[in-house]
Amino acid sequence: MEAILVDCVNNSLRHFMYRNAIFMCERLCAEFPSETNLQLLAGCYLQNNQACSAYHILKGTQKAQSRYLFAISCFQMNLLNEAETALCPANEPNAEVPNNAAGHYLLGLIHSYTDRRKSAIHNFKQALAIDPLLWAAYEELCVLGAAEEATAFFGDSAALCIQKQNINHASASQNMHISNEDCSLLSTRNFGSEDLSPRQLKRTQGDNLKGIPGAATLGAVYQPTNGGLPNLPLYNTPSTMATQFSGVVPPPLCRNAQLNAPNTSMLITDNSPKSIVNSNIQAPRRKFVDEGKLRKISGRLFSDSGARRSTRIAAEAGANSNANATLVAANGISNSSKYLGGSKLSSMALRSVTIRKGQSWSNENWDEGIHNETFDDSHANVTITNYTSSPFGDARSLETEGASMPVSGAIMSASRVLSGASEILGLLRILGDGYRLSCLYRCQDALDIYMKLPHKHYNTGWVLSQVGKAYFELVDYLESASFFSLARQASPYSLEGSDIYSTVLYHLKEDMKLSYLAQELISTDRLAPQSWCAMGNCYSLQKDHETALKSFQRAVQLNSRFAYAHTLCGHEYVALEDFENGIKSYLSALRIDARHYNSWYGLGMLYLRQEKFEFSELHFRMAFQISPHSSVIMSYLGTALHALKKNEEALEMMERAILADKKNPLPLYQKANILVSLESFDEALEVLEELKEYAPRESSVYALMGKIYKRRNMHDKAMLHFGLALDLKPSATDVATIKQTAIEKLHVPDEIEDTL
């Protein structure tokens, strides 16, 4: 009875029928109360998102697996101290962390959330050392800025580790199967005919087999001994495998197929509570964003009326630079023309998600394919027989020529495991290096790494989103939007990077596309913070900051550890001039992720606006340490230094910003301002003439030129440039400034004007 109930619970879990699994598992625990059965019940509750129920069931249990499941329930309930105590009991300081790699990963998350960075890094590295395929651990190392090169974790030693684990797993499964077979045989002999006569048993067995294809073979396999009950698999839910258990072996599906690297996760089917829950742990994704969403709050002549993430001069230059980039790409000079053809924006045509017509993938990463390999039918016979004798389809035996494992009816040797592991790790090395460089904000290097991926992996939603983020960090909004659009087409159900995509559309002022995206995300998952971030950006673009703030607050409510939502709340508070709450929101984001430099930048802008220049410089420097390649951060750090009369250092920082992004007009404008304050008028005019090429319709450029000509007593040229500035329709504040302090006092010397 116990075995039947356990199998019923596992079947229900496999078919995602959680209510049935919980009900049957409660019957199991009532009839056979044991800690192992409680683990299974807790796993059912966790699968059904009832962490609180699992918490109360497992509280006080001592077995390693029970402690692990209890820690998961505590983690989901945000009881981090209890979760850590369960994994590392205080009275057992030398006890091993349960569940090996998964346990270390969970412990790393707990330490990361409680600001113990070194401890978190140690546990993530331990998890990767035990299980090199635990990508989530490497991802967390990248987010913490502590990841080494991917080769250190996904090298040859990792391949050998995977091979050893799979062979050991196969051997353990073989021993478990033999043990289960012996116990089953013993139970059938002991059960005897206490309740049923042999004739009744035979009739019952025949009735059970009537509706199953291949019943004659099954009857022969499960013929009871001494009138005992048939083996447990007779009570399994019939599957399509049963149709293959007749006397004739079905033709192998892989005879003419091309098999890529075997998926080691499919080698063994494990229905234990451990396998039920391990796949469900995922750290809340931390979003990283760059200067694309930074709100520029500059001088009155150089900012939008609603300063948000960038100034008008930066946005306009971004559009110009994107246009130039498109022209360059059309000539075949683009970096990504290797895959994307003449223009990166035409990537949908050449690097499409579907296979191009007439193209064969056989030449790409199919070295280990077995399309020319002969198939041994005797192996298939042995494997199928073994599957019939095990309720879970576990591996049956290892070949005498070397350790081997059955996979979907075919025998896979240890050398094939090693070869497959090497292919998987080779792929992870590329993905790992690309993601690591992205987290270090070396975006162009990351793009170059991603270009090494095969087409089929490059065209997945995750990779396309990462490429979109990298272009966003490079303030290439048009290119970023094109890749995010491709990612949405490849994975319309995925929310990966959608919050960043909405900010890209915000900068491009694509109000229709942004509105459509927000509605689409809400309809896909209204309980995802990314959906509400998109909705908030949509309202913010319409200058409805109060409604935008409510949307961002809803995102925080749905996931309090979503750092970007806190940062966006801070931006809206600043737009509403509620600086106190703005500071609180930025600090909340930094408590979640100290490397979320957008919040450091937001604080720097807030203090710059309040003319607290020392605090502004401090926070800009913190942002600069995290993202040392950002031209925007360098520009505003230079502005803060200039306000503190550190002109030489400010000029040096502006030069670095110009070199980092030659098409960004912001550092050129700020450099001209510094030169004017140093009375280097000729050099300032040269810089402004260069700036006019990148931002020909920026009124503040002409206003500054008019100011320079006025100070040089060239009143005609000054009036001309003030007029040009007004013709470009600046904001109302800028118009008042130009008229009152420039045109009306054109003939008043600056020295006298300053005393007025």
Side-chain angles (χ1 to χ4, degrees), residues 302-313:
F302 197 63
S303 67
D304 278 333
S305 56
R308 179 172 178 79
R309 298 170 182 78
S310 64
T311 57
R312 286 175 288 124
I313 191 168

Side-chain angles (χ1 to χ4, degrees), residues 498-499 502 514 517-518 521 529-539 552:
S498 56
D499 50 334
S502 68
L514 180 54
L517 175 67
L521 294 176
Q530 295 93 333
S531 302
W532 291 98
C533 284
M535 187 65 73
N537 277 332
C538 185
Y539 282 115
F552 295 139

Side-chain angles (χ1 to χ4, degrees), residues 388-410:
T388 63
S389 62
S390 171
F392 303 118
D394 287 344
R396 175 67 173 142
S397 63
L398 300 177
E399 293 297 308
T400 55
E401 296 176 359
S404 61
M405 291 164 290
V407 180
S408 301

Side-chain angles (χ1 to χ4, degrees), residues 345-363:
L345 293 178
S346 65
S347 56
M348 189 57 183
L350 293 181
R351 197 185 252 286
S352 62
V353 178
T354 57
I355 298 177
R356 287 174 285 184
K357 190 172 183 180
Q359 179 179 356
S360 172
W361 294 105
S362 58
N363 295 328

